[in-house]
Amino acid sequence: MDNTLMEKIVSLCKRRGFIFQSSDIYGGLSNTWDYGPYGVELKNNVKRAWWRSNVYERNDIFGMDAAILMHPKVWMASGHVENFFDLKSDCKACKLRFKEVDLKDKKKCPACGGELTEARPFNLMFKTHQGPVADDANLVYLRPETAQGMFVNYLNLLDSRHPKLPFGMAQIGKAFRNEITPGNFIFRTREFEQMEIEYFVKPADADKSYEYWVEERFGWYLKLGLKKENLRKRQHGEEELAHYARACTDVEYNFPIGWSELEGIANRSDFDLRQHQEYSGKDFKYFDDAAKEKFLPFIIEPSGGVDRSVLAFLTDAYSEEKVKEDTRVVLKLHKDLAPVKCAVLPLLKNRPQIVELAKKIAAELKKHFAAVYDDTAAIGKLYRRQDEVGTLYCVTVDVQSLEDNQVTVRDRDTMLQERIGIDNLKEYLHSKLID
């Protein structure tokens, strides 16, 4: 575990406006986090890249956005009411609660040495009530996953879009789990965001499709800049598999806390469709025109965490470099993920003509890229600030710009500078930023 690296990332996130402790002015609420100006841009860019890759660039996956609150029978059919729990033990002395699987000594509290209770099941779903009366008849749950919202809309997709197997549904959305031991910054939280695909295939094609999606999802992280040495695939043993899964492989990342799951790809068989068919009384079978037969498709599910992806991209991009006698901190984020593509900076903020020209350039670039204008410090400090948030290019307007209609463009990674004509600036940046 690299606590120093995690501390540096947490510090940078707060200092530069990526991620803040939620409800900080009231002492904070444990394991809840707010995304600031740069953080929300990074998070949105991760989601945008995922959506583009899995929905826009394909012909076989359809987007979805299902409701967070769903009929309670959904969670009975899915097995969450019966199976979605951890075994927990409480310390009789300090009252802390621990997962049984995390305890080396099942009788002794790891915090204070006190006696532990017998392990008891603890359901991870958040309960609430719909309507004015808080009774069991109005009980609903905050969804613990986005997958079920796609399964219950499976028939709607068949009726509205008439897809041919194989096809999939994709969704990005919030999920909630009443974890007892969350932590490690945004790695494990009670409120989080998922990026999930449910890919429906013929049962005979399930194994091949499963292998395809493992490689496809692993490759997606590489394309967005994660170092190959920090990624690996780990297949679950039979004893690890969820009640619905025939197979599962995790894409793991070497976080500061060690190797941990970034995304899971599971072969869910026909479990979910079979369960919802039974509980709803609806016919979930797919009719194959060519074979003239009906059957329940198998489901391959790539399921990744938005917040974990953000943490992985931040960790991988974080770099410290010696520049003369100084240390430069820079986020070398992939160009598709960087919150700001270019920053326009006036060399002298006390020269109205320079400021006016710089603001004019920034206003024009904002129409095409994520651009900012900043004149709140000397140029050297402005460069360092932009390096820390991963800005790809800094455009500096100086005295000479007023004479030759050119600006200095600085590359984040190399720090090399180039004079570019203002009239050609948009095209120059476009060639660098757009594939």
Side-chain angles (χ1 to χ4, degrees):
M1 179 180 293
D2 190 345
N3 288 325
T4 302
L5 177 57
M6 183 66 94
E7 289 169 1
K8 288 179 178 179
I9 291 171
V10 173
S11 174
L12 183 147
C13 284
K14 182 175 183 179
R15 185 174 69 254
R16 291 299 175 218
F18 279 89
I19 302 170
F20 307 122
Q21 174 71 58
S22 182
S23 310
D24 192 30
I25 62 171
Y26 294 104
L29 181 64
S30 64
N31 303 112
T32 56
W33 303 93
D34 298 335
Y35 284 78
Y38 291 125
V40 72
E41 293 297 331
L42 173 57
K43 191 176 187 180
N44 284 341
N45 286 345
V46 170
K47 292 189 288 185
R48 190 176 293 113
W50 185 91
W51 195 264
R52 183 175 65 246
S53 175
N54 294 298
V55 179
Y56 292 158
E57 295 179 359
R58 301 180 65 105
N59 296 318
D60 58 348
I61 294 182
F62 304 88
M64 274 290 306
D65 184 13
I68 288 173
L69 297 179
M70 304 175 72
H71 196 288
K73 277 192 175 181
V74 170
W75 308 113
M76 296 177 188
S78 69
H80 282 81
V81 172
E82 181 179 356
N83 297 304
F84 198 57
F85 62 82
D86 283 333
L87 291 174
K88 308 291 175 62
S89 295
D90 296 314
C91 177
K92 295 180 180 180
C94 69
K95 309 303 181 184
L96 291 177
R97 180 171 285 166
F98 304 93
K99 287 184 181 180
E100 187 184 45
V101 295
D102 294 336
L103 294 170
K104 294 181 180 179
D105 186 337
K106 308 300 182 187
K107 302 293 184 182
K108 185 178 179 181
C109 174
C112 73
E115 183 183 357
L116 294 174
T117 63
E118 290 295 320
R120 296 169 294 175
F122 184 89
N123 196 284
L124 298 176
M125 287 194 291
F126 279 100
K127 298 179 181 179
T128 187
H129 295 87
Q130 181 171 276
V133 181
D135 57 20
D136 289 344
N138 294 315
L139 177 66
V140 291
Y141 300 95
L142 299 183
R143 65 183 182 194
E145 64 178 28
T146 59
Q148 299 304 320
M150 288 180 274
F151 299 141
V152 301
N153 277 290
Y154 163 80
L155 293 179
N156 288 330
L157 184 67
L158 290 183
D159 291 340
S160 62
R161 297 302 300 268
H162 313 289
K164 301 295 183 184
L165 287 176
F167 67 87
M169 303 168 80
Q171 180 173 202
I172 300 174
K174 287 288 184 78
F176 307 83
R177 296 181 184 177
N178 198 11
E179 299 273 5
I180 292 303
T181 55
N184 293 316
F185 196 28
I186 57 173
F187 178 81
R188 188 187 303 278
T189 56
R190 295 185 175 98
E191 173 188 347
F192 56 96
E193 204 161 3
Q194 290 182 295
M195 305 179 289
E196 285 197 319
I197 296 169
E198 305 304 331
Y199 198 71
F200 303 92
V201 300
K202 295 178 180 179
D205 298 334
D207 290 343
K208 183 178 179 180
S209 183
Y210 167 69
E211 293 173 1
Y212 163 81
W213 278 107
V214 169
E215 296 304 319
E216 180 72 11
R217 295 306 306 142
F218 187 84
W220 183 79
Y221 292 102
L222 292 176
K223 289 176 185 176
L224 286 174
L226 291 190
K227 300 178 185 70
K228 192 169 185 179
E229 61 266 27
N230 288 332
L231 282 174
R232 71 183 185 188
K233 290 168 278 192
R234 187 184 71 83
Q235 189 163 0
H236 286 208
E238 288 189 16
E239 72 284 354
E240 293 181 86
L241 292 175
H243 63 279
Y244 54 77
R246 289 201 174 187
C248 186
T249 295
D250 286 345
V251 175
E252 294 188 332
Y253 179 78
N254 191 16
F255 290 96
I257 59 173
W259 288 97
S260 298
E261 179 190 352
L262 181 58
E263 176 165 344
I265 299 92
N267 177 351
R268 298 183 72 118
S269 70
D270 62 359
F271 174 85
D272 300 279
L273 298 186
R274 184 162 26 89
Q275 288 292 105
H276 287 301
Q277 179 173 262
E278 177 184 340
Y279 275 75
S280 70
K282 308 291 185 182
D283 183 3
F284 272 67
K285 291 187 177 67
Y286 175 87
F287 181 70
D288 188 329
D289 289 328
K292 303 300 180 186
E293 63 175 345
K294 293 182 73 176
F295 56 86
L296 290 175
F298 272 32
I299 301 165
I300 309 303
E301 178 192 71
S303 177
V306 178
D307 307 273
R308 288 188 182 185
S309 295
V310 168
L311 181 57
F313 288 122
L314 283 171
T315 301
D316 220 70
Y318 184 89
S319 177
E320 294 182 359
E321 301 173 352
K322 280 290 184 182
V323 180
K324 297 181 180 179
E325 301 301 317
D326 193 17
T327 298
R328 182 176 85 121
V329 175
V330 56
L331 284 183
K332 295 188 175 182
L333 291 163
H334 187 277
K335 63 183 178 62
D336 290 346
L337 302 183
V340 179
K341 309 308 181 189
C342 59
V344 182
L345 317 171
L347 184 64
L348 301 171
K349 66 178 181 179
N350 60 351
R351 291 285 298 271
Q353 288 177 299
I354 293 177
V355 169
E356 181 182 358
L357 179 57
K359 287 183 176 180
K360 181 180 178 181
I361 292 171
E364 179 60 30
L365 292 179
K366 282 174 179 284
K367 299 175 185 177
H368 309 280
F369 312 107
V372 297
Y373 170 86
D374 193 359
D375 62 5
T376 58
I379 194 67
K381 186 171 287 187
L382 290 178
Y383 281 157
R384 291 294 180 263
R385 287 179 185 174
Q386 296 302 325
D387 289 342
E388 282 195 317
V389 301
T391 301
L392 293 158
Y393 297 97
C394 287
V395 176
T396 303
V397 181
D398 53 29
V399 175
Q400 190 177 345
S401 302
L402 302 175
E403 300 171 1
D404 62 10
N405 206 40
Q406 292 186 337
V407 291
T408 299
V409 180
R410 173 185 179 270
D411 183 280
R412 177 195 68 192
D413 296 336
T414 65
M415 293 189 290
L416 294 177
Q417 299 185 4
E418 187 175 357
R419 293 291 286 184
I420 302 294
I422 295 174
D423 294 339
N424 299 323
L425 182 59
K426 184 184 72 174
E427 287 72 21
Y428 174 85
L429 292 172
H430 190 276
S431 68
K432 300 285 187 179
L433 298 171
I434 306 299
D435 289 332

